[in-house]
């Protein structure tokens, strides 16, 4: 039986270093190639030795597909392609291809230049790796080779995020990457057609969460910012450079525009400017509003948001500052925080999750005194707010996607095991499909039942059409007789005669014979004629002949009667039919076994 | 046997029809119009190959064909059709026949048989589909003929089983448009109605029996082609529209189609399910996988709600729209649409809305300081969580958050419709609507504000909700702000803090956007009127009075102070104790405001003070009634005048006109009626003056002055009649007749005057003829009204009419002169509601001394903002006129998109007009005014449409023109010469 195998090398019952191997129809595909944020050792990258112990990966993989530019989905790519060795095609969407190298370079700088790691990939390796990338367009079917084709769908989440459908023959797998089913200020919602894949591999970050409407969140956020600015306070929003930062910028920018506000908004520079440039370019990947209005004005050309300079932090009066990094553990956001923490008019808004141990985490938990380096303490007087702006699908969103795609099997990755368990139960219960959640290195095998396309000869089809009464009903299968010829990698269904002719074979007749014992006091010819009358009354619409040579023919079935001398009342009926008339023959034999009804007159 | 007989009867009948038609008209045609058809014939014969033929046909399609030659042309086309081998040419011919049969005054029945014959030979599916389309055209042209219909349907049945989807599509369309709507006849149907076979063997030519269109169409709900499925549903909907009652059995099929793979099928299925839910709302359907049952309308509501999270936005829009039309749904299901159970890490979480409500209930205000303030509390039972919203769950939550604004708008509209029918639902959807005020698309924001206004009678805003609503007051879009003011006018709030909050925010709005002054004041007026008891405790604070000390007197010109006063005075109107809290200067300010802003400040009963003189001692609703009475009495008095030449009549008219004008100023509700009557009376007065007896007897040269006066009067009367006719809305036919009557009088007067001043008969003849034509058209237009006009000018004129048309111009003039003078005064009957169209230009204000500078020859844009009231169809009628000091004037037609409609009978024109002029030396004022364009043909057509026998005469006497309305505004502009 054909089967599809899925093995997560990363992101199996875990978040981080997404890397999933799929073998389908004899093809091997790697989905994403990410790194893990939590580790600094070998566990940082997926274990590629699972694929092969030594040598390059090229001969084991048909292609690599990257869903989006987050490092936990593409961070290990240069390592895999240049250091482990892979020369095949790498597929990603245009925006991902544009932004991915910026982030990889940034990542490399931090690990090599700041932490001083050696044996890490170099800038040149990133460039070489990007040369192997083949860009994808949305809804474009790309033939990787003769049999393997892939197609990208919009996934929301971040700019350029895509879901991918991988198809070999009639078997298919859909990998969602990270996706978002609710639109936000700059991106639309994920969408897929009813492609009915054999397996849907979905992320499940928020497997046990149903989120409140985004409007409440947005309104709260804006209200808090607005109030603080009106009070003359300063607002600090620590963000990571890409993704949410752009959404919040648009949110504030439009609000400023709408409300005619004058207070300045700053964005601490860095890779953001480069990335913003790409946001401006890839307008087609954004949401309806931005797409519709970019002719008048590109929403990413911010009017109110200006570049931040270190000296601005001491300026009097209200202002809003976006600063990196998002968890307040280092860098500009921390510096500004130190400056502003003492004033209760100011406010800090944390738009995302903070890892334990960071200052962000501490202040979110209500710590009022922070110990800084060289034994100083910092009193936190400013207001601390938490706002969740996350772009993953929640439990309802995941269910909605399943309903859209109608997969035959489900496979969950990119989430915590305990939460997955819950969602798995729900999916199995509500859709009655199998749901898997393999751990890293564990292989899930799904047996598929692909339909095999067969060419049918037109004559045969027409003949069958002519035989059948009403018109063909597409919803109901119909049986037909024919000969299947498998020749030179092609399958053909032809009529038996033609098959014989083509193969140069003689036709062999196959006949079934059957004896039926019957208690009948009449003479043999009488019995025969009684049988003839009986059959005539039962089988209307068939040709039944009483031949002079003492046989009855029903279509091509021959019935004879004989009796032995010792028991003249026990008649033995001989039935003989060809293989083609199997149905009618067996029907006749069971009919005659029941005996003849009394009251039949012999003619 | 009977059926067989029937068919024979039918065949014979159809033959009888066929024979004469085939020959006679064809012959006649060749005689009368040989050119057209013959040319085509020659062309087609010349064509050596299909491409040429196609070219000829395409060329031919562009020219028009007269009704009488259509048949011949069709015959030639068909002749060629049979000869033609090429499919595309045959297809073009088929489509041409369809086109031709649409020709006006042509009866396509005559070509029906020929067209039907083509079906016997046609093999190409595409051509067949086109032929069926042609039949559809013919069928729709002949809706009354059952025979034609049945023949067409027969063809449709025959081809329903075609293998090409296009043919099946067209067949279904035919069935939908022409299928028998009446209950199907039993198998031995009577009369001429031919029965049609459905059944298993299509195309069997033997006996024919009925199978009704409905079940036949529903078979194609399961067709393999999605286009055919869609066509089948559409055909069914068409049958429904034509009055067929669709059977309930289809409901299950329709529900299954909701899960179709194709969006157009799903979209049509949503409509189908909706139609069924409206037809059988109360019948009971079982819920699968349980043995419970629900009402069908609830079931379908659940299913359509489900479609709000469909993959295709077209379907989502359709579903969201449809939800708004399902008003019979039970409240339980309705409220589910707003339900969304939140969960975080398997713990039940309260929504932000619930939290806000609780905070409010507990008296605490917005903490939100801690992280995880919204941390989930209770643990959720994992088995009880239902992730797929079953039924209606959360439909609107999804719809309002949709990616496409089309869906969001549809959802908002649906919310509005449902909330208006259910108060409890209105209460529930409030939070969601308020959230929509923050949408990224202005259209959606605006729509949700409007919707909230519409349902605001059902709700009371909580303080936190009001807070969110008021936050929008700072929006930079004027539309949004004004919509919000409008909303606040109709809002109920619960506490005095709310009033204070609203006032505070409105004052903030006022300082930020001073142009909103009027709108803000109006808003506060209603706020005060609605919540007198809530304002009462705030009064000392608002007026900053102090029990012991005198506080400084506020500045009377401060718009903010006026705003506060408007609020207080309006509250005081129904709260008599409030006035005791006023300080002296407040009373002074009251009298001042009562005079200057009388529309905002109501009359108050002030202790120890005389009534404000403007009040006339009448109050409240009583005043309208008594004013109405007064109006009636004045008009009654006028009606005592029988002849305008009576002594004292003029004085009475003068007085009454004065009275009416004053009344209109005092009572805004009756301003329309009063002005209307006054204008009418003024016309009569003018006429009377012009006809003063003694002057007419004098020789012309002696009374040049009078002549000039009379000419001016006639002209003015004409102008006034146009105003009367087009400036007022709510007129009935009776009044229009009266107005036209006055116009005739004016024209008669003009005629008489022309006759007196001009020498010679020649020019007079044409003028007289024109006048007589007008009398005639008057008679035709107002046949119904003629009995009321017996004693009047026209009545008398018509009595003489046979004589009139024969007599010479000179005699006619004499007759006119005497009739004009002898005719009685035509009494004015006031209709119930007369409203005068009015316009106010808000911007430019005309107060600016800074000229608008621009380089001459180039263009400058001037922003215009005006409100229009009681203007019907402003998109076509309202124009902007710019008058330059040198007498040049431009009329500009604003774009339809520049008109908004903030309320009933009200429109807002916000537009830009482009000015340009050559250089001036000094800054100079130009005048901008609004014009109401009218064209009497509009009205005439409306009148004629009742009696269509008149045919298509050109609108005779159609006059077009413009009436200036509203005050003109002066703007300083300064075109400077271009610098080189």
């Amino acid at each position: 039986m054909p089967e599809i195998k899925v093995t997560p090398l990363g992101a199996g019952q875990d978040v981080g270093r997404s890397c999933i191997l799929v073998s389908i129809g004899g093809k091997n595909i790697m989905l994403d190639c990410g790194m893990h944020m939590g580790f600094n050792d070998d566990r940082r990258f997926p274990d590629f030795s699972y694929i092969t112990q030594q040598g390059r990966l090229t001969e084991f993989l048909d292609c690599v597909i990257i869903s989006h530019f987050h490092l936990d989905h593409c961070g290990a790519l240069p390592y895999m392609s240049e250091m482990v060795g892979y020369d095949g095609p790498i597929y990603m969407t245009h925006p991902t291809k544009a932004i991915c190298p910026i982030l990889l370079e940034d990542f490399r700088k931090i690990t090599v230049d700041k932490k001083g790691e050696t044996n890490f990939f170099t800038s040149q390796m990133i460039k070489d790796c990007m040369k192997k990338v083949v860009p994808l367009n949305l809804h474009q079917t790309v033939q990787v080779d003769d049999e393997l084709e892939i197609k990208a769908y919009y996934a929301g989440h971040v700019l350029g995020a895509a879901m991918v459908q991988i198809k070999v023959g009639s078997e298919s797998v859909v990998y969602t990457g990270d996706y978002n089913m609710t639109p936000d200020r700059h991106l639309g919602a994920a969408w897929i057609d009813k492609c009915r894949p054999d397996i849907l591999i979905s992320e499940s970050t928020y497997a046990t969460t149903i989120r409140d409407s985004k409007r409440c969140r947005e309104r709260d956020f804006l209200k808090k910012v607005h109030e603080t600015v009106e009070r003359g306070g300063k607002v600090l929003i620590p963000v990571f450079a890409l993704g949410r930062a752009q959404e919040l910028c648009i949110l504030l920018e439009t609000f400023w525009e709408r409300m005619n506000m004058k207070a300045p908004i700053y964005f601490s520079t860095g890779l953001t400017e480069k990335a913003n440039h790409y946001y401006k370019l890839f307008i087609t990947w954004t949401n309806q509003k931005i797409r519709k209005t970019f002719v008048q004005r590109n929403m990413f050309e911010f009017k109110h948001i200006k570049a931040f300079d270190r000296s601005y932090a001491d300026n009097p009066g209200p202002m809003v500052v976006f600063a990196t990094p998002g968890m307040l553990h280092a860098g500009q956001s921390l510096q500004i925080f130190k400056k502003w923490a003492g004033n209760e008019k100011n406010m800090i808004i944390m738009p995302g999750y903070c890892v334990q141990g960071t200052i962000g985490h501490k202040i979110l938990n209500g710590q009022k005194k922070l110990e800084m380096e060289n034994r100083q303490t910092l009193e936190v007087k400013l207001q601390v707010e938490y706002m969740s702006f996350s772009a993953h699908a929640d439990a309802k969103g995941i269910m909605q996607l399943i309903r859209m795609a109608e997969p035959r099997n489900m496979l969950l990755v990119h989430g915590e095991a305990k939460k997955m368990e819950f969602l798995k139960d729900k999916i199995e219960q509500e859709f009655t499909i199998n749901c898997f959640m393999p751990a890293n290195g564990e292989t899930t095998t799904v047996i598929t039942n692909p339909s095999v396309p067969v060419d049918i000869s037109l004559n045969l089809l027409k003949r069958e059409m002519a035989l059948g009464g009403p018109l063909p009903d597409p919803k109901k299968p119909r049986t037909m007789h024919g000969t299947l010829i498998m020749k030179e990698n092609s399958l053909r269904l032809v009529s038996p005669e033609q098959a014989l002719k083509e193969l140069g074979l003689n036709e062999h007749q196959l006949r079934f014979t059957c004896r039926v014992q019957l208690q009948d006091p009449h003479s043999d010819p009488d019995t025969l004629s009684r049988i003839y009358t009986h059959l005539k009354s039962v089988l209307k619409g068939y040709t039944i002949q009483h031949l002079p040579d003492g046989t009855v023919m029903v279509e091509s079935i021959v019935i004879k009667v004989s009796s032995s001398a010792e028991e003249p009342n026990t008649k033995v009926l001989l039935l003989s039919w060809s293989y083609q008339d199997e149905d009618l023959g067996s029907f006749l034999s069971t009919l005659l076994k029941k005996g003849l009804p009394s009251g039949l007159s012999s003619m | 046997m009977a059926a067989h007989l029937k068919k024979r009867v039918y065949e014979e009948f159809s033959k009888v029809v066929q024979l004469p038609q085939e020959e006679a008209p064809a012959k006649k045609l060749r005689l009368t119009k040989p050119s057209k058809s013959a040319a085509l014939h020659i062309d087609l014969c010349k064509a050596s190959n299909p491409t040429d033929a196609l070219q000829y046909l395409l060329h031919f399609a562009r020219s028009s064909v007269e009704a009488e030659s259509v048949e011949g042309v069709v015959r030639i086309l068909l002749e060629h059709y049979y000869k033609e081998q090429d499919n595309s040419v045959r297809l073009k011919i088929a489509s041409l026949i369809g086109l031709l049969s649409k020709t006006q005054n042509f009866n396509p029945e005559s070509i029906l048989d020929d067209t039907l014959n083509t079906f016997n030979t046609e093999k190409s599916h595409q051509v067949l589909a086109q032929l069926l389309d042609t039949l559809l055209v013919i069928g729709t042209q002949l809706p009354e003929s059952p025979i034609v219909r049945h023949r067409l349907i027969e063809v449709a049945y025959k081809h329903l089983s075609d293998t090409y989807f296009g043919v099946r599509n067209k067949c279904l369309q035919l069935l939908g448009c022409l299928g028998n709507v009446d209950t199907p006849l039993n198998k031995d149907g009577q009369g001429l109605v031919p029965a049609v076979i459905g059944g298993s063997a299509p195309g069997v030519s033997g006996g024919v029996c009925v199978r009704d269109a409905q079940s036949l169409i529903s078979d194609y709900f399961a067709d393999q082609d999605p286009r055919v499925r869609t066509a089948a549903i559409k055909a069914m909907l068409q049958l429904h529209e034509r009055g067929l009652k669709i059977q309930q059995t289809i409901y299950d099929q329709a529900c299954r189609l909701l899960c179709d793979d194709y969006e157009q099928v799903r979209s049509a299925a949503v409509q189908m399910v909706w139609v069924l839910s409206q037809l059988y709302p109360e019948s009971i359907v079982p819920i699968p996988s349980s043995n419970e049952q629900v009402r069908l309308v609830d079931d379908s509501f659940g299913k359509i709600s489900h479609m709000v999270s469909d993959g295709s936005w077209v379907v989502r829009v359709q579903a969201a729209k449809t939800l708004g039309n399902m008003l019979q749904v039970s409240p339980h299901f309705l409220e589910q649409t707003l339900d969304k159970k939140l969960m975080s890490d398997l713990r039940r979480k309260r929504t932000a809305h619930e939290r806000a409500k609780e905070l409010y209930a507990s008296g605490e205000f917005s903490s939100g300081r801690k992280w995880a303030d919204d941390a989930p509390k209770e643990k959720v039972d994992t088995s009880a969580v239902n992730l797929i919203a079953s039924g209606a769950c959360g439909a609107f939550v999804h719809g309002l958050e949709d990616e496409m604004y089309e869906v969001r708008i549809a959802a908002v509209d649906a919310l509005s419709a449902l909330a208006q029918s259910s108060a409890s639902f209105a209460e529930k959807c409030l939070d969601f609507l308020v959230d929509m005020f923050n949408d990224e698309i202005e259209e959606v924001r605006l729509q949700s504000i409007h919707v909230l206004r519409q349902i605001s009678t059902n709700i009371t805003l909580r303080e936190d909700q009001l807070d969110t609503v008021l936050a929008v007051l700072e929006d930079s879009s004027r539309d949004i702000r004004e919509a919000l003011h409008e909303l606040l006018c109709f809002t109920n709030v619960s506490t005095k803090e709310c009033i204070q909050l609203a006032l505070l925010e409105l004052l903030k709005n006022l300082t930020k956007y001073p142009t909103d002054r009027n709108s803000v004041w109006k808003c506060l007026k209603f706020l005060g009127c609605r919540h007198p008891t809530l304002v009462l405790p705030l009064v000392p604070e608002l007026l900053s009075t102090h029990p012991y000390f005198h506080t400084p007197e506020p500045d009377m010109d401060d718009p903010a102070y006026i705003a506060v006063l408007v609020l207080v005075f309006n509250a005081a109107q129904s709260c008599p104790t409030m006035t005791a809290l006023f300080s002296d200067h407040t009373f002074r300010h009251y009298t001042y405001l009562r005079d200057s802003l009388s529309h905002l400040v109501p009359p108050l009963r002030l202790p120890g003070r005389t009534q404000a003189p403007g009040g006339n001692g009448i109050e409240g609703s009583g005043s309208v009634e008594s004013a109405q009475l007064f109006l009636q009495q004045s008009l009654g008095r006028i009606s005592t005048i029988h002849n305008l030449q009576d002594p004292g009549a003029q004085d009475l008219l003068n007085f009454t006109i004065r009275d009416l004008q004053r009344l209109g100023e005092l009572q805004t509700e009756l301003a329309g009626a009063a002005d209307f009557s006054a204008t009418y009376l003024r016309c009569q007065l003018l006429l009377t003056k012009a006809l003063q007896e003694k002057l007419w007897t004098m020789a012309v040269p002696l009374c040049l002055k009078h002549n000039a006066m009379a000419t001016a009067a006639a002209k003015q009367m004409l102008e006034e009649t146009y105003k009367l006719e087009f400036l007022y809305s709510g007129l009935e036919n009776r009044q229009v007749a009266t107005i036209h009557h006055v116009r005739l009088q004016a024209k008669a007067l003009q005629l008489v005057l022309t006759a007196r001043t001009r020498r010679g008969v020649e020019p007079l003849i044409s003028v007289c003829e024109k006048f007589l034509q007008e009398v005639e058209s008057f008679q035709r237009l107002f046949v119904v009204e003629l009995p009321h006009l017996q004693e009047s000018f026209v009545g008398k004129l018509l009595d003489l009419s046979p004589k009139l048309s024969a007599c010479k111009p000179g005699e006619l003039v004499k007759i006119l002169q005497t009739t004009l003078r002898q005719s009685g005064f035509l009494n004015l009957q006031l209709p119930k509601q007369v409203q005068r169209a009015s316009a106010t230009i808000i911007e430019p204000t005309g107060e600016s001394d800074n000229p608008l500078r621009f380089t001459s020859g180039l263009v400058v844009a001037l922003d215009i903002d005006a409100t229009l009231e009681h203007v019907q169809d402003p998109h076509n009628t309202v124009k902007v006129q710019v008058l330059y000091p040198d007498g040049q004037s431009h009329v500009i037609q604003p774009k339809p998109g520049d008109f908004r409609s903030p309320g009933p009978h009200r429109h807002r024109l916000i537009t830009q007009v482009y000015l340009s002029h050559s250089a001036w030396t000094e800054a100079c004022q130009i005048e901008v005014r609004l014009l109401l364009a009218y064209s009497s043909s509009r009205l005439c057509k409306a009148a004629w449409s009742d009696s269509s026998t008149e045919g298509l005469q050109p609108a005779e006497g159609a006059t077009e023109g413009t009436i200036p309305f509203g005050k003109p505004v002066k703007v300083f502009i300064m075109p400077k010469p271009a610098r080189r």
Side-chain angles (χ1 to χ4, degrees), chain A residues 337-353:
Chain A
F337 174 72
K338 281 185 201 159
K339 273 186 188 155
W340 292 359
N343 192 340
E344 64 275 2
K345 271 208 281 186
N346 297 344
M347 176 185 278
I348 184 165
I349 297 178
M350 310 293 296
Y353 178 74

Side-chain angles (χ1 to χ4, degrees), chain A residues 316-503:
Chain A
M319 66 172 84
V320 179
V321 175
F322 289 94
T324 50
M327 296 185 194
L328 278 187
H329 47 81
Q332 205 148 31
S333 60
L334 186 61
Q335 283 171 10
I336 301 170
F337 174 72
K338 281 185 201 159
K339 273 186 188 155
W340 292 359
N343 192 340
E344 64 275 2
K345 271 208 281 186
N346 297 344
M347 176 185 278
I348 184 165
I349 297 178
M350 310 293 296
Y353 178 74
C354 289
V355 171
Q356 206 156 21
T358 58
I359 290 180
H361 190 257
K362 281 179 196 158
I363 58 170
L364 278 179
N365 280 323
Q367 217 166 314
K368 284 292 170 202
K369 286 219 163 104
L370 296 173
E371 280 193 28
M372 310 305 283
E373 61 265 36
N374 47 33
R375 302 202 158 263
Q376 285 175 331
T377 53
L378 181 68
E379 221 170 313
V380 182
K381 283 189 184 156
L382 86 176
Q383 297 174 51
V384 180
E385 300 287 351
Y386 174 75
M387 280 281 110
S388 158
F389 280 89
S390 182
H392 290 275
D394 63 356
K396 265 202 166 155
I398 296 172
M399 297 305 244
Q400 204 183 334
L401 188 83
I402 298 176
R403 222 179 64 206
M404 267 177 163
E406 294 188 0
R408 289 190 195 91
N409 295 283
M410 210 33 217
L411 194 141
L412 299 176
V413 293
H414 200 282
E416 290 162 39
K418 234 169 79 191
K419 296 181 179 177
M420 278 186 187
E421 201 79 53
F422 163 79
L423 190 64
K424 176 173 138 65
D425 286 348
K426 283 288 151 204
I427 292 172
E428 286 178 344
Q429 182 190 325
E430 304 211 7
F431 294 101
T432 57
I433 56 175
N434 287 326
C435 183
F436 307 94
M437 35 175 285
N440 286 338
E442 192 184 321
T443 304
T444 299
T445 310
V446 171
I447 292 173
T448 58
N449 195 8
S451 46
V452 182
V454 171
D455 291 331
I456 186 167
S457 85
L458 197 61
N459 284 333
L460 183 61
L461 200 63
K462 277 189 177 158
R463 208 171 65 185
E464 285 291 327
M465 286 258 292
L467 280 180
L471 273 163
D473 186 346
K475 297 278 154 101
K476 284 192 193 120
R478 246 177 70 184
T479 46
M480 59 185 292
H481 294 278
T483 314
L484 188 69
I485 302 180
M486 294 172 74
K487 208 170 158 189
E488 290 152 8
N489 228 354
S490 72
L491 299 174
R492 280 189 304 136
L493 194 67
V494 295
S495 62
E497 301 85 52
Q498 198 189 340
L500 287 171
K501 215 166 84 187
E502 271 184 36
L503 300 171

Side-chain angles (χ1 to χ4, degrees), chain B residues 508-579:
Chain B
K508 224 197 255 173
N509 170 212
L510 198 61
T511 41
K512 201 163 178 180
Y513 306 99
T515 44
D516 285 357
R517 203 169 65 179
N518 284 318
S519 173
V520 167
W521 286 344
K522 200 180 114 211
C523 175
L524 282 167
K525 173 189 167 188
F526 282 94
L527 218 54
C529 277
R530 276 172 173 264
H531 311 96
T533 47
L534 296 181
V535 177
L536 183 61
L538 291 173
V539 168
E541 195 186 333
L542 290 179
L543 300 177
S544 51
T545 48
H546 194 277
Y548 310 125
F549 302 116
H550 271 294
T551 43
E553 186 176 327
D555 178 15
M556 198 52 242
D557 289 332
D558 181 11
Y561 178 62
I562 296 178
V564 173
L565 283 184
V566 167
L567 175 75
V568 172
F569 289 149
N570 278 289
Q573 192 185 9
S574 47
C575 182
T577 51
M578 201 182 284
T579 43

Side-chain angles (χ1 to χ4, degrees), chain A residues 191 210 213 219 258-259 385, chain B residues 311 343 368 401 435 476 512:
Chain A
W191 180 85
I210 301 175
S213 87
R219 201 189 57 209
R258 262 181 60 199
M259 296 304 185
E385 300 287 351
Chain B
M343 190 172 73
E401 267 185 45
D435 275 353
S476 59
K512 201 163 178 180

Side-chain angles (χ1 to χ4, degrees), chain A residues 154 181-192 194 196 206-220 222-224 226-227 230 250-251 254-261 286-293 299 352-354 361 363-366 368 383-387 394-396 399-400 403-404 406 418-419 422-423 426-427 429-431 465 470-475, chain B residues 161-163 200 202 222-224 229 258-261 266 306-307 309-312 316 339-347 349-353 355-356 365-372 374 381-389 393-394 397-398 400-406 408 431-432 434-442 445 464 467-468 471-477 480 508 512-513:
Chain A
Y154 192 76
M181 293 301 283
T182 41
D184 62 30
R185 287 281 168 160
H186 71 311
L187 298 174
W191 180 85
I192 196 163
K194 257 191 198 149
R196 300 191 174 91
Y206 284 107
T208 55
T209 302
I210 301 175
R211 252 175 311 168
D212 201 352
S213 87
K214 58 158 188 167
R215 279 179 207 291
C216 299
R217 263 177 290 150
E218 284 176 1
R219 201 189 57 209
D220 270 8
L222 293 174
K223 200 175 152 193
K224 278 167 187 166
H226 188 191
E227 277 171 4
E230 278 215 327
I250 288 208
L251 194 58
T254 42
F255 188 70
W256 249 241
E257 186 103 358
R258 262 181 60 199
M259 296 304 185
N260 238 336
M261 310 249 288
T286 55
N287 72 7
Q288 187 195 23
K289 155 96 177 168
I290 300 177
R291 265 182 291 138
K292 288 234 159 113
T293 54
M299 288 276 273
Y353 178 74
C354 289
H361 190 257
I363 58 170
L364 278 179
N365 280 323
K368 284 292 170 202
Q383 297 174 51
V384 180
E385 300 287 351
Y386 174 75
M387 280 281 110
D394 63 356
K396 265 202 166 155
M399 297 305 244
Q400 204 183 334
R403 222 179 64 206
M404 267 177 163
E406 294 188 0
K418 234 169 79 191
K419 296 181 179 177
F422 163 79
L423 190 64
K426 283 288 151 204
I427 292 172
Q429 182 190 325
E430 304 211 7
F431 294 101
M465 286 258 292
L471 273 163
D473 186 346
K475 297 278 154 101
Chain B
S161 48
D162 197 281
T163 50
S200 53
D223 194 274
Q224 58 174 329
R229 290 200 292 272
L258 286 177
C259 326
D260 199 275
D261 280 11
R266 291 199 300 267
H306 208 61
M307 303 307 284
S309 47
D310 190 88
S312 146
R316 293 202 297 266
D339 185 40
K340 192 181 179 189
K341 295 240 165 24
L342 298 193
M343 190 172 73
S344 166
D345 287 351
L346 283 181
R347 280 161 211 272
K349 199 169 134 183
R350 285 164 307 144
T351 62
H353 292 153
R355 268 182 278 138
F365 204 75
S366 173
S367 78
R369 201 121 316 156
K370 281 174 290 176
W371 182 37
D374 56 349
D381 178 13
T382 43
S383 62
V385 180
N386 191 8
L387 280 183
I388 293 212
C393 238
V397 179
H398 279 287
L400 293 176
E401 267 185 45
D402 199 276
E403 181 184 359
M404 312 299 281
Y405 85 95
E406 292 90 341
R408 297 200 296 268
D431 278 323
F432 293 88
V434 170
D435 275 353
M436 293 309 284
F437 286 12
N438 234 334
D439 196 273
E440 52 195 340
I441 304 241
E442 185 174 323
R445 294 200 294 266
D464 56 313
D467 201 30
T468 333
V472 187
L473 273 179
E474 284 188 49
D475 203 299
S476 59
S477 152
I480 296 268
K508 224 197 255 173
K512 201 163 178 180
Y513 306 99

